[in-house]
Amino acid sequence: MTMNGEGSAPAATTSCGSRSAAVALFRSLGDPARLAILRRLAEGEARTTDLVACVGLAQSTVSAHLACLRDCGLVTSRPVGRASWYSLARPELLDLLAAAEQLLAATGEAVDLCPAYGTRPAQDSAR
């Protein structure tokens, strides 16, 4: 499985064989606010003010997340007057988000109960 873009330079590989570009991609998707922004942009273009209302964070925070996503090549913007309209830069991102939803549906609560990364404490498995 190749995770770098077609025609781009090969991604650097760490000592364990994982690609550092893939790690950066998943880290960029791992922030709840950035993921919410991407999910909203999957529905169509949006302005910063639309995204602020969607994620409930300050405009400066949303702008910082948009800058990160733009720097990662995941979103693009186009100026319209004084506003900028943001959209997903790559349609493959929709496929990745859909695959993540399918994986989460298949694993049930296992990921959410993960002691390292989950959001809920594991319940007593002896029951």
Side-chain angles (χ1 to χ4, degrees):
M1 170 169 64
T2 303
M3 301 214 65
N4 57 327
E6 190 174 303
S8 64
T13 303
T14 64
S15 61
C16 292
S18 64
R19 296 186 175 276
S20 59
V23 171
L25 171 65
F26 285 106
R27 281 188 180 157
S28 71
L29 299 175
D31 182 88
R34 286 193 295 272
L35 187 56
I37 289 169
L38 290 172
R39 285 182 171 186
R40 168 55 188 86
L41 293 177
E43 298 171 8
E45 275 188 316
R47 299 168 299 165
T48 305
T49 56
D50 303 325
L51 297 168
V52 166
C54 177
V55 298
L57 297 172
Q59 183 272 330
S60 59
T61 303
V62 171
S63 292
H65 284 303
L66 286 167
C68 172
L69 293 168
R70 190 176 51 244
D71 291 345
C72 291
L74 299 178
V75 301
T76 60
S77 64
R78 64 178 181 88
V80 177
R82 292 179 46 182
S84 291
W85 285 83
Y86 290 87
S87 61
L88 296 181
R90 304 292 312 185
E92 298 90 347
L93 193 50
L94 293 172
D95 297 334
L96 180 62
L97 295 174
E101 291 294 332
Q102 289 177 336
L103 182 59
L104 290 170
T107 60
E109 294 185 349
V111 173
D112 204 26
L113 295 176
C114 172
Y117 299 109
T119 58
R120 297 184 296 176
Q123 296 180 3
D124 183 16
S125 59
R127 288 191 211 179

